[in-house]
Amino acid sequence: MYLDYFLVFLGAAIPWLELGLVIPLGIISGMNPVAVIIVGFVGNMVTVLALIIGYDKFKLWLTKRNEGKEKKESKRSVRAKELWNKYGLPGMLMLGPILIGTHVAAFIAMTLGASKVKTMLWSTISISAWAIIFGVVTSLGFDFFVRE
């Protein structure tokens, strides 16, 4: 049983899996929805906070790694900049989990000059809101199909 929750934690912590996949899968597999939401939230927050806190070191490492290489922006980076320009930090981080991923949204926010404190605040709000939304919608939707 604890292994299942550990896998939810781990899945939520991994970029590109995140909340939108892990929480519904956990609930559909029969796990407690409230526990899945909490574990998924914590798993995602741990790595996003680590990214925000360690951003300066990561940026330095990435710069050294990419020295002399031609840099091409990814589709996710382009989408994140569009979100930033249109909605600002709160909008980008609130839409991030469903459009580009929480980790990418936080990283791009930091790259575009957002403060660590504001990025942490909006990431926390966004991740908690989306964890609840994914959990509730999955629980209600799954319950709808299971009812006789």
Side-chain angles (χ1 to χ4, degrees):
M1 180 174 115
Y2 292 115
L3 177 63
D4 293 338
Y5 289 103
F6 177 72
L7 291 174
V8 168
F9 175 87
L10 195 60
I14 297 172
W16 299 286
L17 286 182
E18 301 196 33
L19 304 171
L21 179 64
V22 175
I23 289 176
L25 286 176
I27 292 170
I28 289 170
S29 71
M31 297 168 70
N32 180 318
V34 174
V36 169
I37 291 168
I38 293 169
V39 170
F41 167 80
V42 172
N44 200 245
M45 278 305 300
V46 165
T47 52
V48 170
L49 289 176
L51 177 78
I52 293 168
I53 292 167
Y55 171 76
D56 298 325
K57 289 182 181 183
F58 180 76
K59 187 176 178 184
L60 181 64
W61 171 80
L62 192 61
T63 303
K64 286 181 182 180
R65 182 175 167 250
N66 291 332
E67 266 180 10
K69 293 181 183 177
E70 187 177 318
K71 185 179 178 185
K72 185 181 181 218
E73 281 191 321
S74 69
K75 289 180 183 179
R76 284 183 176 217
S77 294
V78 171
R79 187 180 292 167
K81 285 182 182 177
E82 290 171 359
L83 288 172
W84 178 270
N85 291 332
K86 191 169 185 178
Y87 301 109
L89 177 67
M92 186 175 73
L93 291 174
M94 289 301 292
L95 294 172
I98 58 171
L99 297 178
I100 58 177
T102 55
H103 300 85
V104 174
F107 182 77
I108 297 293
M110 298 295 295
T111 302
L112 296 174
S115 73
K116 287 183 179 185
V117 171
K118 287 183 180 179
T119 304
M120 281 186 207
L121 173 69
W122 282 106
S123 291
T124 304
I125 292 168
S126 173
I127 292 168
S128 61
W130 282 108
I132 292 167
I133 290 168
F134 288 133
V136 169
V137 168
T138 302
S139 293
L140 293 176
F142 191 65
D143 188 46
F144 175 78
F145 287 110
V146 173
R147 268 195 261 165
E148 295 180 23

